[in-house]
Amino acid sequence: MSRPPWLQHYPADAPQELPLASITLVEMLARSARRFARRPALYFFGKTLSYQELGSIVDRFACGLAVRGIRKGDRVALCLPNSPQAVIAYFGIVKAGGIVVSCNPTYTEHELAAQLRDAGARAIVVLDMMYQKIQDLDLDLIVVTRITDYMTTIARYLYQHRQGRAPIEIPSRETTIAFHDFLSSATPTASGQFPIVTPDDVAVLQYTGGTTGVSKGAELRHRNLTANIQQLVSWFSPEERVESFLAALPLFHVFGMTVTQNICLAVGGCMVLVPDPRNMPVLLQLLRKREPTVITLVPALVRKLLEHCEATDFSEARFVICGGAALSFELLKAFKEKTGQLIIEGYGLSEASPVTHCNLPRGLSVKRSIGLPIANTEAKIVDAEGAEVPVGEIGELWVRGPQVMKGYWNNPVETANVLKADGWLVTGDIARMDQDGFFYVVDRSKDMILSSSGFNVYPSEIEQVLALHPMVSESAVIGVRHKDGSELIKAVVVARDSAVTVDDLLTHCRRYLASYKMPKRIEFRPELPRSILGKTLHRILRVEEEAKTQNQHSSASLG
C-alpha cells in the first residue's frame, strides 16, 4: 500500500504510527488518581474534587453497585446533566464491570423507555427532576441525585432560592435510593467483589443520535475508548497537570464524553462542569472566572457565544475545538475576528468513539475541511460497489482504526450493514479527499435528494447558497417524494428579516445553482428542529412533509 498523503501534514510532534497501550478506563482513572492525587479533577459551582477524592468516591459507588447485585456485563443507565455525579457514576459503573448506557436527560418518557428496554438496563442513575419519567419502568435499582448534591452550601442556597420551589420529593421504595445514601451505604469490603475488567469488554452503549433513523446502541469497548484518548492526546499534546477543560457539551454525548471528560482526566486536567450551557450568564461567568485552556463547542454554542462574549473571554484558551455538526466558514471567520481563536474542526461518529479526523491544532487549517485522519486511522472514499474512487472524486467515506466499535447492541443486521469483514466502518457520509489527504464532507448519504432530473442533489450545497443571502439566518433543505420516486426540493428558511420573499430567494439561488438544484418550494419558519448538539434534524422535516402528503391523499379520497 502506498504511503497515505495525509501523513506529510501531521503535526511535527505527533507520531504517524502510535504504539497504543491496551488499557481499560478503570486503569486510566486509577493511574490518574495516583499520579495527580492532589490536583483538582472536577469543579462545580465553587466545589472542587481532587483526583484522590474522585478516585475514592468512584470506588464507593462501584462498591454500592456490587452490593446491590450489579454484575459484569450488566447495563446501568446514566441520565444526568454535566455534574460530579455524572463523572462518578460513569467510572463507578465500569469499575463494577457494568456497561454505561448513556441517556439524554431531555428525552421523553417514551424515548427513555425504548432505549432502556433495548439496552436491557437493570439500573439507572437519574436526576430527581427526571424521576417521574422512569418510576414505572421495570428496574432493579434507581439511584436518584439532585443537581445541588455537590454544590457548596452558598451555591445550593442560591440555586434553590432562584428555583422558587421546594426540592422534589422522591417516594420511598425498595428499589430507589438517594445518591449520597447510596455512597454512605457502600462498604469497603465490597471492593473484593469487583470482577476483572479487560480492554475487550464493552464499556459503553453509546446510542446514536437517531438523526438518520432508528437509534442504535454502539458497543464501545474499553480499548476503543482508551485508544481514542491516546490518539487525541498525541494529536493535541495537552500539558499534564496544567489544562483546564470547559465541559459545556453534554458528557452523555460521545463527543463530550471523550474529548472533554476522558482526555481531561487522562492528563490530570481540571474539568469545569456546566450543567446547562444555554444559561449564557453562567457560562460566561465560568469562562471569565476559571479561564479554561481547552474549550469544546458545537456550532449552535459558537453562534450564541459570539452574540454575548467579549474579545478577551478566550484569552487563556490553547485549543477551541468544534464538532457535532459542520461549522460554516462565515461563523469560523467571525469567531476568529472577535476572539483571535482559530476553531479546530474535526470529524467523528458514535461508532468510532468518536474521533477519526481532525484539523491541525497548530499550523495549517484547511477551509471547510474536516481535517486529516488521526494516528492509526485509515480512511478512504468509495463508490456504490465499495471500490476506492480517484483522488478528488465524491463517494462514501469509510474509516478503519482501533477506535471503531465492536458492533451495534443486539443488532447483527445493522452491524453487518456498516462493519465490513476487514474492519472498515461505513460512515454513511458523502465526502471527498484532496491530493494532500485533507477530507471534506459533502453530505450525509441518507439526506441525498434524487431530483426529478435524475441527478443526485446534496442539501448542504443549497443550504450554503442560501446562507450567502444577507436576509437568511439558516436553512434546511429536504426532498419531498413524488409518486414516481423522484423528489421535489424544498427549503425551510429562518429569515433575519420578514421583508424577504420567496421570489427574492429564488432569484438569489438562480445565481449559484443549476436548474435541477433549484428549490421548488420555500417555507419560512421562526426556527429549525435541532438535536441536543445543535444538529438540524432534517428527518423531522421529512416526517412532517410525509404526514402532510398523507393528509392530502386522505382528504382527496373523502372528497
Side-chain angles (χ1 to χ4, degrees):
M1 179 180 175
S2 60
R3 189 171 185 265
W6 55 80
L7 294 180
Q8 63 183 312
H9 296 296
Y10 262 38
D13 52 353
Q16 296 179 359
E17 189 68 26
L18 189 65
L20 294 172
S22 181
I23 61 172
T24 65
L25 291 170
V26 178
E27 293 169 307
M28 183 209 81
L29 185 68
R31 186 188 66 173
S32 292
R34 291 191 303 270
R35 297 185 61 217
F36 315 123
R38 296 183 181 180
R39 278 274 304 159
L42 307 177
Y43 176 86
F44 188 68
F45 290 100
K47 176 79 170 182
T48 301
L49 288 180
S50 69
Y51 275 85
Q52 188 175 49
E53 290 170 323
L54 175 61
S56 175
I57 299 171
V58 165
D59 284 352
R60 284 162 54 198
F61 193 91
C63 288
L65 291 174
V67 167
R68 286 165 178 79
I70 297 299
R71 299 294 178 252
K72 185 172 182 178
D74 285 346
R75 278 76 64 205
V76 180
L78 191 51
C79 191
L80 296 173
N82 292 5
S83 56
Q85 301 95 299
V87 181
I88 291 164
Y90 176 94
F91 285 98
I93 292 166
V94 295
K95 178 149 193 174
I99 299 173
V100 174
V101 181
S102 297
C103 300
N104 186 335
T106 66
Y107 273 177
T108 63
E109 183 176 345
H110 174 77
E111 290 169 318
L112 270 175
Q115 185 170 321
L116 298 188
R117 185 167 53 249
D118 183 77
R122 287 190 57 201
I124 190 170
V125 188
V126 67
L127 201 63
D128 57 350
M129 292 182 288
M130 294 283 294
Y131 179 76
Q132 63 180 6
K133 296 182 182 181
I134 54 90
Q135 61 181 339
D136 296 326
L137 299 181
D138 185 20
L139 294 164
D140 296 335
L141 174 66
I142 302 173
V143 181
V144 184
T145 186
R146 304 187 194 280
I147 196 66
T148 56
D149 279 353
Y150 278 89
M151 290 183 184
T152 61
T153 302
I154 294 174
R156 187 182 302 120
Y157 170 80
L158 291 173
Y159 176 86
Q160 292 171 344
H161 179 72
R162 288 168 182 165
Q163 289 293 104
R165 58 172 172 77
I168 297 171
E169 291 297 325
I170 305 300
S172 178
R173 296 169 59 180
E174 185 179 347
T175 57
T176 303
I177 186 170
F179 193 90
H180 279 308
D181 292 340
F182 184 76
L183 292 176
S184 299
S185 64
T187 56
T189 55
S191 60
Q193 300 178 36
F194 295 150
I196 296 173
V197 178
T198 73
D200 284 319
D201 290 330
V202 175
V204 175
L205 289 187
Q206 188 67 44
Y207 277 78
T208 61
T211 54
T212 57
V214 178
S215 188
K216 305 172 287 291
E219 297 174 282
L220 301 180
R221 294 165 292 194
H222 283 266
R223 71 164 64 254
N224 299 142
L225 292 164
T226 57
N228 211 216
I229 294 168
Q230 293 172 76
Q231 289 169 312
L232 292 170
V233 168
S234 77
W235 190 262
F236 287 97
S237 299
E239 289 189 50
E240 289 191 346
R241 309 171 189 268
V242 170
E243 309 294 357
S244 174
F245 287 65
L246 182 72
L249 300 187
L251 301 181
F252 59 78
H253 188 274
V254 70
F255 183 34
M257 175 185 70
T258 291
V259 181
T260 304
Q261 173 186 273
N262 291 351
I263 292 179
C264 176
L265 297 179
V267 301
C270 178
M271 189 166 19
V272 180
L273 293 156
V274 183
D276 183 5
R278 296 169 298 181
N279 189 330
M280 197 53 56
V282 170
L283 183 59
L284 290 172
Q285 183 184 30
L286 287 170
L287 267 173
R288 292 160 186 169
K289 181 180 179 181
R290 302 302 300 182
E291 298 182 327
T293 60
V294 181
I295 300 170
T296 51
L297 303 171
V298 291
L301 200 48
V302 173
R303 192 178 298 110
K304 281 289 184 185
L305 283 168
L306 267 177
E307 293 173 5
H308 298 93
C309 75
E310 301 293 337
T312 56
D313 288 343
F314 295 84
S315 58
E316 296 301 315
R318 296 182 63 223
F319 308 108
V320 180
I321 306 165
C322 188
L327 184 69
S328 72
F329 180 72
E330 290 71 25
L331 202 56
L332 189 150
K333 181 181 177 184
F335 193 85
K336 176 71 165 65
E337 289 173 349
K338 184 166 186 177
T339 68
Q341 292 284 345
L342 180 61
I343 293 176
I344 306 161
E345 288 192 89
Y347 169 86
L349 58 167
S350 296
E351 293 87 343
S353 304
V355 183
T356 62
H357 294 67
C358 196
N359 269 287
L360 304 180
R362 291 170 292 274
L364 185 64
S365 184
V366 177
K367 185 176 178 179
R368 294 192 174 93
S369 171
I370 59 171
L372 310 170
I374 58 176
N376 298 47
T377 302
E378 299 172 79
K380 63 181 180 180
I381 308 296
V382 303
D383 61 19
E385 283 71 46
E388 198 162 355
V389 302
V391 171
E393 289 194 12
I394 290 174
E396 188 172 30
L397 174 63
W398 289 13
V399 296
R400 182 166 65 180
Q403 69 271 52
V404 171
M405 68 173 182
K406 176 183 179 182
Y408 291 123
W409 175 258
N410 285 344
N411 201 332
V413 174
E414 287 294 339
T415 298
N417 287 339
V418 300
L419 271 183
K420 302 302 178 183
D422 52 0
W424 286 101
L425 172 67
V426 177
T427 71
D429 284 328
I430 304 302
R432 65 180 176 87
M433 181 189 77
D434 67 19
Q435 60 185 7
D436 293 316
F438 284 85
F439 284 73
Y440 306 78
V441 171
V442 176
D443 221 325
R444 284 205 63 84
S445 59
K446 294 185 181 180
D447 282 343
M448 186 176 65
I449 299 170
L450 178 62
S451 71
S452 56
S453 66
F455 290 107
N456 293 334
V457 177
Y458 300 111
S460 64
E461 183 179 0
I462 303 171
E463 290 164 3
Q464 288 168 11
V465 166
L466 287 167
L468 295 175
H469 194 287
M471 294 299 183
V472 172
S473 174
E474 56 185 340
S475 67
V477 173
I478 60 170
V480 180
R481 189 167 295 279
H482 277 176
K483 292 180 180 178
D484 65 359
S486 68
E487 293 179 304
L488 174 151
I489 300 170
K490 177 176 178 177
V492 181
V493 175
V494 178
R496 299 185 192 276
D497 191 322
S498 59
V500 68
T501 67
V502 169
D503 286 341
D504 292 336
L505 296 184
L506 290 176
T507 300
H508 168 78
C509 287
R510 288 191 189 100
R511 294 176 56 198
Y512 299 95
L513 297 172
S515 59
Y516 73 87
K517 297 180 182 178
M518 284 290 297
K520 298 300 185 289
R521 295 180 192 169
I522 294 180
E523 176 186 344
F524 292 100
R525 290 194 184 189
E527 60 182 11
L528 299 176
R530 294 189 181 281
S531 71
I532 191 70
L533 276 189
K535 281 186 179 179
T536 302
L537 294 173
H538 293 74
R539 176 177 56 86
I540 298 297
L541 296 173
R542 285 194 293 269
V543 169
E544 290 174 0
E545 286 298 321
E546 289 168 3
K548 288 179 186 177
T549 302
Q550 289 175 357
N551 289 337
Q552 289 169 358
H553 289 164
S554 298
S555 299
S557 299
L558 290 172

